[in-house]
Amino acid sequence: MRFTAAAGSLVVLLTISTTVPVSATETDIFGITLGAPLTLPVCELSSPAPAAARSNIGLGARAFNKLMAPPPEPLKAMPPATGLCVAPGTTNMAVGSTEFGPGEYGYLVFATDEAPAWVAPIGMSIGAGAGDAFSLEGAGGLVLLRNGRVIALRFNTTGFEAQPRVMELLKRKFGSPGSQKAVTWNNDLGGSRDSISAQWRKPDFFADYSSVVRTQAMRAQGLSGGIGFLNIGNDLGQQVLQPAANKEAEF
């Protein structure tokens, strides 16, 4: 009986020693804690400037003006004075392999003077879901929720330009990646450049970084540009944000 108890204790000890826990620091990303409720303030929305008044003399002029008037501009999500705010999505939006509804995702907007240089402008990288009643400007990201708790964050990055800085930050926070490879990009002039694909895995935690992904817009930017992505989340978040397969691109 004593031997059985000792053996059981040894098994527990080995299990603990070989399982690397996820620290509180690692699960805190820009003050957002994975697995916890999102506590960011809601972004303020501002109305667009009113259109210049047109002449309404005569029924014909009014009908013509109505026909030619541009569609009304949506409300604009304003950056906070400091830190981050969240603009909740108002419609269904497909992300990864799952569709998220209102209240299950939101747009993260950085304070203008505090936005990391490696984060791509939100309108360029993510944009608003079809039907969301506001526009997005400045740097930001996407937050995904289940039952009111954060399961994943997604940031699009400024491609090759951001690659050294993002890898430095990720290694400082999460240690060396569990896997890493180079993806070669070629152009028609015989030039090439390697981008990085790196992954971190721990119990109920993942981080996936791809410094350049293949997009139609990137083809026009040549080797100097590109858009990358950084996904961070827990196991549930990983299920809905599987990274796209990296391919060698020719453009």
Side-chain angles (χ1 to χ4, degrees):
M1 181 65 69
R2 291 178 182 175
F3 177 79
T4 303
S9 299
L10 180 60
V11 170
V12 172
L13 180 61
L14 289 175
T15 302
I16 293 174
S17 63
T18 57
T19 301
V20 180
V22 181
S23 70
T25 302
E26 290 175 341
T27 60
D28 185 295
I29 314 298
F30 295 119
I32 301 169
T33 303
L34 297 176
L38 186 65
T39 58
L40 294 176
V42 177
C43 300
E44 293 184 7
L45 301 180
S46 67
S47 301
R54 293 172 176 265
S55 172
N56 288 325
I57 300 175
L59 292 175
R62 286 195 292 271
F64 178 78
N65 289 340
K66 184 176 181 180
L67 179 64
M68 299 302 295
E73 294 186 19
L75 298 175
K76 181 181 297 183
M78 301 296 294
T82 186
L84 281 165
C85 66
V86 60
T90 59
T91 184
N92 289 343
M93 181 177 181
V95 183
S97 59
T98 303
E99 184 173 79
F100 288 77
E104 294 186 322
Y105 73 97
Y107 304 99
L108 303 173
V109 182
F110 286 96
T112 302
D113 295 335
E114 300 175 11
W118 55 267
V119 177
I122 190 169
M124 177 181 181
S125 59
I126 296 174
D132 279 339
F134 50 81
S135 65
L136 299 160
E137 295 182 2
L142 192 68
V143 58
L144 304 177
L145 306 143
R146 274 289 184 264
N147 299 320
R149 295 180 178 273
V150 177
I151 63 171
L153 305 171
R154 180 182 177 93
F155 299 95
N156 282 43
T157 71
T158 52
F160 287 118
E161 178 183 343
Q163 184 170 286
R165 179 58 174 163
V166 175
M167 285 300 295
E168 175 190 358
L169 292 172
L170 288 171
K171 289 180 179 179
R172 183 187 303 172
K173 192 171 183 69
F174 306 132
S176 298
S179 62
Q180 178 177 331
K181 66 179 180 179
V183 181
T184 301
W185 296 76
N186 300 320
N187 64 14
D188 294 335
L189 301 178
S192 66
R193 193 170 181 179
D194 287 344
S195 68
I196 292 176
S197 174
Q199 294 78 40
W200 288 256
R201 297 290 185 271
K202 292 187 179 182
D204 202 28
F205 172 84
F206 84 99
D208 287 325
Y209 173 54
S210 186
S211 63
V212 177
V213 294
R214 185 175 184 175
T215 65
Q216 193 65 31
M218 190 245 166
R219 293 179 177 230
Q221 297 181 34
L223 293 174
S224 62
I227 293 294
F229 71 80
L230 171 62
N231 293 333
I232 300 174
N234 57 22
D235 288 348
L236 181 56
Q238 185 181 3
Q239 294 174 21
V240 301
L241 276 182
Q242 293 296 328
N246 289 307
K247 301 178 180 178
E248 181 176 318
E250 297 180 356
F251 53 90

